[in-house]
Amino acid sequence: MPISWSLDDYPHFEFVRTAATVLPGLQPARSVMENWLDEFRYMQQSVEWGVLTYTMHPYVIGRGYRMLALEDLIKKLKDMGAMFMTMEDAAAEAQAKMF
């Protein structure tokens, strides 16, 4: 199943500093959700059927302001016709469409 760091909450929200690198994180939640919505819009315009996988960690997305932004994203996705399912169900549906 397709996974992308750009659709994962961790790199957008978590600040990490080590001796070798800095992951700046701390991005505005609504900006991240708008990017995630645009990924769905692009998929809708580009392919007949596809899977878009958002990855969220409870300790990352679980901040109040992030949860509010996530709730708005889910509502917008539903309004645009998105279907929500487990990865197992998405894999089965993708396999069925291939044959």
Side-chain angles (χ1 to χ4, degrees):
M1 301 305 295
I3 301 292
S4 170
W5 272 105
S6 66
L7 299 176
D8 188 305
D9 63 351
Y10 192 89
H12 295 292
F13 295 135
E14 289 299 303
F15 177 83
V16 177
R17 184 175 69 186
T18 68
T21 189
V22 173
L23 181 65
L26 306 177
Q27 299 298 310
R30 297 206 181 266
S31 295
V32 173
M33 299 303 149
E34 191 63 31
N35 288 344
W36 289 1
L37 184 62
D38 282 343
E39 288 283 352
F40 180 77
R41 285 184 181 117
Y42 181 80
M43 184 180 70
Q44 248 187 346
Q45 293 173 9
S46 302
V47 296
E48 185 177 320
W49 186 89
V51 175
L52 191 59
T53 306
Y54 300 111
T55 304
M56 289 167 257
H57 306 82
Y59 59 89
V60 176
I61 199 71
R63 303 292 310 164
Y65 70 100
R66 294 176 187 159
M67 292 301 295
L68 291 172
L70 177 60
E71 287 174 358
D72 288 345
L73 172 67
I74 291 169
K75 182 184 180 317
K76 289 175 184 175
L77 288 166
K78 283 182 175 181
D79 291 346
M80 294 173 68
M83 296 175 56
F84 296 85
M85 62 185 70
T86 66
M87 294 290 280
E88 182 177 11
D89 290 344
E93 191 165 333
Q95 189 172 28
K97 290 183 178 300
M98 293 173 65
F99 301 104

